[in-house]
Amino acid sequence: MRKPVMAGNWKMNCNNDEAKELADGVVARGGQVEDALVILCPPATALTTVNDSIKNSNVKLGAQNMFWEQSGAYTGELSADMLLSCGCEYVIIGHSERRGRFGSVDEEDAEALAAIFGDTDETVNRKVVAALAAGLKPIICCGELLSERQAGSTDDVVASQVKAALEGVSEADAANVIIAYEPVWAIGTGEVCDADEANRVCGMVRGVVAEVFNEDVADSMQILYGGSVKPNNVEGLMEQEHIDGGLVGGASLDAESFGTLIAVAADSAK
Ligand code: PEP
């Protein structure tokens, strides 16, 4: 039985005061929940603040990104050890907003311009391997662009992202991996992927994990869906066989909404 997960990706939102208020609100609503794994991923500047808020609760802390080297001349980057020292147990790796597939500094469009961070399948893999070696649990993101879905290549794109991310990961370490399927066209758009289709792709991801490792690893790996998860669509998603939870952006910024998502996830365990 896989424990349901509800992970909040706060992205670049919340200064320290706002982070404390939001984390306290989540703890008040879902801090003692035992049937679901609740993870908050605030911006790096608020990790210690949130860690303080969740210290007497079951809520876990995650970061939104990391670098694979342990230390050195990498201005602006954060190592796994630094994140561990802030209380992190989890780290999101390869979020589509950090993959460099659709951004260029020549772009006029603000969204495309923002997507210049440049993670590739190779850097995602390095980060995953470094996270696991340091004792952090990666939440590996995968997902297709709208153009890739329209071209019928969703499964190929997602499968190759997952295989690349897991390259060199041992079977023992795979027990500490969470995968989040996040179709890029559904993130922050309000356009949720149909629950049956999200389940089909998550099932396909599970099949890839079985190919890379074996059926036991695949059966126990938590695979999440992300992309406009909200209180009004979460039940349909959580009912699906292969969807073990959500990686949530927008709705995680409101303690009441996120509290509802946590409650639905916990109920789905029964
Ligand atoms: C995300 O940030 O991973 C995400 C899925 O965002 P949203 O829930 O806002 O679509």
Side-chain angles (χ1 to χ4, degrees):
M1 173 81 190
R2 299 181 293 266
K3 190 170 197 171
V5 182
M6 207 40 77
N9 173 14
W10 294 2
K11 309 192 185 189
M12 197 176 75
N13 293 291
C14 296
N15 63 25
N16 272 294
D17 292 342
E18 293 161 343
K20 180 176 167 27
E21 193 182 331
L22 179 51
D24 287 349
V26 172
V27 167
R29 289 165 176 86
Q32 302 312 319
V33 163
E34 288 182 353
D35 290 338
L37 167 61
V38 180
I39 309 169
L40 295 182
C41 303
T45 47
L47 285 171
T48 51
T49 298
V50 173
N51 195 39
D52 197 46
S53 289
I54 64 177
K55 65 176 182 266
N56 295 318
S57 78
N58 293 330
V59 178
K60 307 293 183 192
L61 190 65
Q64 297 177 12
N65 185 32
M66 59 167 272
F67 193 54
W68 59 81
E69 294 290 347
Q70 290 178 6
S71 62
Y74 305 105
T75 302
E77 292 296 333
L78 298 171
S79 70
D81 183 55
M82 292 169 183
L83 301 180
L84 286 162
S85 75
C86 293
C88 290
E89 279 183 51
Y90 294 86
V91 57
I92 297 172
I93 295 180
H95 192 282
S96 62
E97 288 157 14
R98 297 217 60 93
R99 288 184 185 251
R101 299 192 295 164
F102 47 10
S104 138
V105 281
D106 298 328
E107 303 272 1
E108 300 263 316
D109 173 66
E111 266 186 45
L113 189 56
I116 57 169
F117 302 112
D119 255 337
T120 64
D121 282 350
E122 289 73 27
T123 66
V124 167
N125 176 243
R126 278 180 180 241
K127 292 177 181 189
V128 167
V129 169
L132 288 165
L136 274 175
K137 298 171 187 166
I139 302 172
I140 302 171
C141 299
C142 57
E144 80 288 358
L145 301 171
L146 182 58
S147 56
E148 291 165 335
R149 172 160 286 269
Q150 285 166 341
S153 50
T154 296
D155 291 14
D156 288 346
V157 168
V158 173
S160 83
Q161 288 174 341
V162 171
K163 281 186 197 151
L166 295 174
E167 182 82 40
V169 172
S170 69
E171 190 181 324
D173 277 345
N176 291 323
V177 169
I178 294 176
I179 295 181
Y181 166 58
E182 299 207 305
V184 180
W185 49 270
I187 297 179
T189 58
E191 199 168 330
V192 67
C193 182
D194 178 71
D196 291 337
E197 172 60 6
N199 183 52
R200 187 194 69 74
V201 182
C202 288
M204 188 278 298
V205 169
R206 202 175 297 288
V208 171
V209 175
E211 246 177 71
V212 174
F213 300 103
N214 54 53
E215 294 286 344
D216 285 350
V217 171
D219 278 349
S220 53
M221 190 172 286
Q222 288 149 316
I223 300 181
L224 318 183
Y225 166 78
S228 299
V229 176
K230 307 271 182 237
N232 66 3
N233 58 31
V234 66
E235 277 176 38
L237 291 162
M238 289 306 304
E239 277 166 7
Q240 303 293 325
E241 180 188 354
H242 291 293
I243 300 179
D244 303 316
L247 178 56
V248 184
S252 73
L253 294 172
D254 179 82
E256 201 169 318
S257 295
F258 197 59
T260 304
L261 302 186
I262 294 169
V264 173
D267 271 358
S268 76
K270 289 169 193 145

